């Protein structure tokens, strides 16, 4: 199974890519949307929001983080992943994609933010950081950070 919602839970997904409208995942609602546009998410509709490999690609985070905060119920959980953009991260990109650039090569997408700047932006947008873990290893061999935050207020 790709996804499974527990009893009493609904799964909803959103992406800006045009092909997302044709995705059919049993038990999930998938829609095309843009986090940078006001009103893209319903207010106080979610207990949890996951932004996996999303926020680093958005230059200005004020609108997306505001939309996510509004969409989460008080005390709701936000989980994000973000690239470290460390020297090891860039070396892996070169080995796998043949370029050090995040804007060129296969599956390219410019990174405006790294894990450290995203953590600061999310915290300043009314979220309390709960936990952060590096993958696959900690320290200089970290490629991504998985971070969780609780909506305050």
């Amino acid at each position: 199974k790709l996804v499974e919602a527990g009893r009493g839970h609904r799964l909803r997904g959103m992406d800006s890519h045009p092909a997302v409208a044709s995705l059919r995942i049993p038990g999930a609602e998938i829609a095309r949307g843009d986090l940078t546009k006001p009103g893209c998410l319903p207010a106080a509709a979610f207990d949890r929001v996951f932004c996996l490999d999303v926020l680093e690609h958005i230059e200005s985070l004020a609108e997306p983080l505001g939309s996510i905060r509004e969409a989460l119920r008080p005390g709701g959980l936000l989980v994000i992943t973000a690239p470290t953009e460390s020297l090891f991260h860039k070396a892996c990109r070169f080995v796998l994609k043949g370029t050090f650039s995040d804007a060129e090569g296969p599956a390219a997408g410019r990174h405006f933010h790294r894990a450290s700047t995203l953590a600061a932006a999310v915290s300043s947008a009314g979220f309390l950081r709960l936990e952060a873990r590096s993958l696959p290893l900690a320290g200089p061999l970290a490629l991504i950070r998985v971070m969780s935050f609780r909506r305050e207020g």
Side-chain angles (χ1 to χ4, degrees):
K1 288 182 182 174
L2 182 60
V3 293
E4 183 176 316
R7 181 169 291 182
H9 297 290
R10 293 185 343 206
L11 295 173
R12 295 177 64 186
M14 182 177 80
D15 196 290
S16 62
H17 193 281
V20 77
S22 64
L23 287 176
R24 300 291 178 258
I25 299 173
E29 300 170 33
I30 309 293
R32 185 170 181 206
D34 185 346
L35 271 178
T36 65
K37 305 290 186 223
C40 64
L41 297 170
F46 302 101
D47 296 314
R48 293 171 187 85
V49 170
F50 294 82
C51 290
L52 309 178
D53 297 325
V54 173
L55 296 175
E56 68 268 20
H57 299 286
I58 302 173
E59 189 169 9
S60 176
L61 293 171
E63 190 65 48
L65 291 175
S67 293
I68 292 167
R69 189 175 191 296
E70 289 287 320
L72 278 169
R73 293 182 182 104
L77 184 69
L78 169 62
V79 177
I80 67 171
T81 59
T84 62
E85 290 297 332
S86 65
L87 183 60
F88 181 66
H89 187 272
K90 291 176 182 179
C92 288
R93 181 184 292 133
F94 182 77
V95 169
L96 295 172
K97 297 183 177 185
T99 180
F100 289 108
S101 171
D102 60 4
E104 299 170 4
R110 181 155 184 227
H111 292 174
F112 295 100
H113 308 279
R114 62 182 59 197
S116 59
T117 60
L118 275 176
V122 173
S123 293
S124 67
F127 293 89
L128 174 67
R129 187 163 134 182
L130 301 175
E131 187 175 2
R133 294 187 184 202
S134 296
L135 298 175
L137 300 170
L141 298 180
L143 295 176
I144 64 167
R145 299 272 294 163
V146 180
M147 298 174 276
S148 62
F149 300 83
R150 183 175 52 240
R151 178 189 186 262
E152 295 188 298

